[in-house]
Amino acid sequence: MPSYDYDLFVIGGGSGGVRSARVAASLGKKVAIAEEYRYGGTCVIRGCVPKKLFVYASQFHEHFEDAAGFGWTVGESAFDWKKLIAAKDNEIARLEGLYKKGLAGANAEILETRAELVDAHTIKLLRTGETVTAKTIVIATGGRPNPHAALPGHELCISSNEAFHLEELPKSILIAGGGYIAVEFANIFHGLGVETTLIYRGTEILSRFDEDLRRGLHEAMVAKGIRILCQDVMEKVTRGENGLVIETMKGETLNAGIVMLALGRDPNTRGLGLEKAGVAVNERGAVIVDDYSRTNVENIYALGDVTDRVQLTPVAIHEAMCFIETEYKNNPTKPDYDLIPTAVFSQPEIGTVGLSEEEAGKRYQELEVYRAQFRPLKATLSGRAEKMMMKLIVDAASRKVVGAHILGHDAGEMAQILGITLKAGCTKDDFDRTMALHPTAAEELVTMYAPSYRVRDGQRL
Ligand code: NDP
């Protein structure tokens, strides 16, 4: 038996990497983990967590407006971007500390260096130039924003990475893309008082979501004052006298203080030495893995965004836990990707689990669609025009709820709980016999007794 310096070496200190290193170490394995930037990865350092803090910050102006309807007179308010950034940075530093503490507590060795593969068992630590060996290697290097190198002037644009560290807020911003990041940041910047335009190549934002929610969110964002240009793309970005000048395919010339690209994220595999270790990647540069997150090289696994399966933090963590079961508990376990609840932290928020009406229409012969649109109670006094929307997609034959979609306040919180019901295989009858909790918005989910319409062979009846 060859002997190695470590039982496990993990490259990448994000959600998936840290979880695999910590749990393997807690099982008594000799583990090292290397991170070239900051522990916590995209989610903690420049993704989900700081983004959600920004979302909260951007909602206060509406809270202040709403307060008037409830008898409050709110004094003059002002927003200080630098204070928000400092508070956010403090919290992120605290979380990073917790991640390291967890690793250290489990006796994993924490390395602050870039690490690259030399062969299937050997890793080079770039900070010292030293090489170490490991029996098993996990690649969990995540992803990076697509730089859209084909766009003339792309080097003048920022990505979400920089959005978390802007020196000051611009007066105006143009955001390219129609996915999670573009939509969330458009709402954040608008809420903080920045004149915001979104430019998206498709016919409607958020291409992978239920059509009703996409349209509903689009309308709500426009009503707030966000400009959305669909079926258009940027052709060129140049520096003008007053900021950046953007020419679009449809012939518009736009001006913006900042242009932010949110056009998807690419797997972080460049220069990692994968070819030296013989690890295969696909045409997007993502590490190819089997159902157990194992690469084509027996002792090397890959998890999280670097594999380009489902780019979500809880998925990377789940993949890490499956890797632990497979490799260290003699219990080969495949990650389960069915019915992943997800939220877009837009304003209003989207929370969803299961199939959209369009997807379900392709899979099931007949659907019952239950759909409610209503003004939430709080809006009756605040006067806010925003409506909530809830939709249940039911397979008519089995009565199983196969999709649940919410647009409105706390939609993400509700989608998490709905995820349990769909995972448990609940039918519409289970929803019907559940007592409503009054007065809540969520009670609508158990009080939609008659289908709003049916879909047969993909066609609305
Ligand atoms: P998404 O995949 O969500 O969206 C990418 C967008 O860019 C799509 O609208 C896509 O259009 C568009 N696009 C891609 N390439 C081009 C191009 N060459 N020209 C014009 N438009 C283009 O990626 P994001 O960057 O928004 O986010 C990355 C991932 O991070 C997400 O997929 C998600 O998994 C995760 N994430 C999750 C969040 C959450 O859970 N709340 C929040 C933020 C990110 P089209 O739709 O036509 O393909």
Side-chain angles (χ1 to χ4, degrees):
M1 277 283 280
S3 75
Y4 299 103
D5 298 324
Y6 299 101
D7 296 317
L8 174 66
F9 195 100
V10 178
I11 307 180
S15 305
V18 167
R19 179 59 67 94
S20 13
R22 180 168 63 72
V23 180
S26 71
L27 294 174
K29 303 293 166 194
K30 188 165 186 228
V31 179
I33 177 167
E35 165 59 51
E36 64 179 331
Y37 181 53
R38 292 180 67 184
Y39 276 87
T42 303
C43 173
V44 173
I45 305 298
R46 45 193 179 193
C48 326
V49 176
K51 178 276 307 289
K52 189 89 187 271
L53 296 174
F54 280 11
V55 170
Y56 287 131
S58 68
Q59 288 171 334
F60 279 97
H61 81 109
E62 287 195 354
H63 294 333
F64 299 148
E65 285 169 17
D66 290 354
F70 294 86
W72 286 88
T73 302
V74 179
E76 206 179 308
S77 64
F79 171 68
D80 186 332
W81 171 252
K82 285 197 162 67
K83 266 194 187 162
L84 172 65
I85 296 287
K88 179 265 295 177
D89 286 345
N90 266 340
E91 176 56 13
I92 299 311
R94 187 184 74 83
L95 292 174
E96 186 185 8
L98 286 179
Y99 266 62
K100 285 191 185 165
K101 202 170 155 194
L103 285 165
N107 284 328
E109 192 175 333
I110 302 170
L111 304 170
E112 316 242 0
T113 175
R114 181 174 171 81
E116 293 174 2
L117 294 171
V118 177
D119 62 40
H121 288 282
T122 312
I123 307 108
K124 182 171 184 181
L125 310 179
L126 267 70
R127 177 166 284 186
T128 56
E130 177 194 359
T131 56
V132 296
T133 58
K135 180 166 186 276
T136 305
I137 293 172
V138 164
I139 300 163
T141 47
R144 59 172 68 191
N146 164 7
H148 198 7
L151 173 75
H154 69 95
E155 66 286 351
L156 301 173
C157 307
I158 67 162
S159 71
S160 54
N161 284 354
E162 292 77 33
F164 289 113
H165 299 285
L166 291 176
E167 280 293 309
E168 51 192 68
L169 269 185
K171 284 205 165 52
S172 58
I173 190 164
L174 175 73
I175 302 180
Y180 284 86
I181 297 180
V183 168
E184 291 180 343
F185 270 94
N187 283 280
I188 289 169
F189 281 115
H190 171 76
L192 296 176
V194 179
E195 192 190 315
T196 303
T197 307
L198 189 78
I199 186 164
Y200 171 53
R201 65 180 174 184
T203 49
E204 188 54 279
I205 55 171
L206 292 173
S207 55
R208 282 167 282 173
F209 288 79
D210 187 272
E211 186 76 40
D212 271 337
L213 271 75
R214 297 166 66 190
R215 219 172 309 125
L217 176 62
H218 183 140
E219 283 165 14
M221 285 171 65
V222 169
K224 283 178 196 285
I226 299 171
R227 190 166 179 225
I228 301 181
L229 309 171
C230 285
Q231 293 180 289
D232 204 356
V233 290
M234 299 191 293
E235 288 216 312
K236 191 169 154 194
V237 181
T238 50
R239 211 183 284 284
E241 270 175 30
N242 301 309
L244 299 171
V245 181
I246 304 99
E247 289 170 39
T248 80
M249 184 189 73
K250 280 189 174 168
E252 279 215 48
T253 302
L254 307 165
N255 289 284
I258 285 183
V259 176
M260 175 173 153
L261 304 177
L263 305 173
R265 294 175 60 83
D266 300 334
N268 223 345
T269 47
R270 234 177 302 143
L272 211 56
L274 295 176
E275 56 302 326
K276 292 184 196 154
V279 174
V281 296
N282 69 14
E283 64 292 345
R284 292 200 62 232
V287 179
I288 300 170
V289 288
D290 67 10
D291 286 349
Y292 300 91
S293 302
R294 196 191 291 268
T295 70
N296 59 314
V297 178
E298 181 75 15
N299 68 303
I300 302 183
Y301 289 79
L303 20 112
D305 288 4
V306 75
T307 62
D308 200 19
R309 286 177 282 183
V310 182
Q311 297 181 356
L312 294 172
T313 298
V315 173
I317 292 172
H318 173 63
E319 287 167 355
M321 295 309 285
C322 292
F323 154 73
I324 294 286
E325 289 293 320
T326 303
E327 182 69 8
Y328 296 122
K329 296 194 174 175
N330 199 21
N331 175 29
T333 304
K334 297 179 186 177
D336 174 5
Y337 299 105
D338 193 30
L339 295 167
I340 300 170
T342 183
V344 182
F345 294 101
S346 44
Q347 299 167 43
E349 200 167 292
I350 282 181
T352 184
V353 57
L355 302 174
S356 64
E357 181 183 327
E358 298 72 36
E359 289 167 325
K362 289 181 200 147
R363 234 183 263 188
Y364 298 97
Q365 200 198 354
E366 185 161 335
L367 302 174
E368 291 173 1
V369 179
Y370 297 79
R371 186 178 179 280
Q373 196 170 22
F374 57 95
R375 196 174 187 201
L377 183 59
K378 190 176 169 195
T380 57
L381 293 200
S382 69
R384 192 158 294 287
E386 224 161 88
K387 294 243 172 72
M388 278 198 92
M389 192 193 297
M390 295 192 180
K391 229 177 137 175
L392 293 178
I393 317 291
V394 177
D395 166 31
S398 66
R399 305 280 297 147
K400 247 191 186 178
V401 179
V402 295
H405 310 280
I406 300 170
L407 176 69
H409 195 59
D410 284 338
E413 304 288 342
M414 287 183 251
Q416 176 66 87
I417 312 295
L418 282 167
I420 305 171
T421 64
L422 266 70
K423 202 75 188 160
C426 286
T427 63
K428 181 64 174 59
D429 307 311
D430 296 318
F431 277 64
D432 290 345
R433 62 196 179 83
T434 301
M435 193 68 75
L437 197 165
H438 188 67
T440 60
E443 68 183 304
E444 206 69 32
L445 290 166
V446 296
T447 53
M448 294 188 281
Y449 296 116
S452 309
Y453 53 90
R454 286 169 184 272
V455 173
R456 193 171 300 141
D457 299 323
Q459 300 297 317
R460 250 185 220 201
L461 301 179

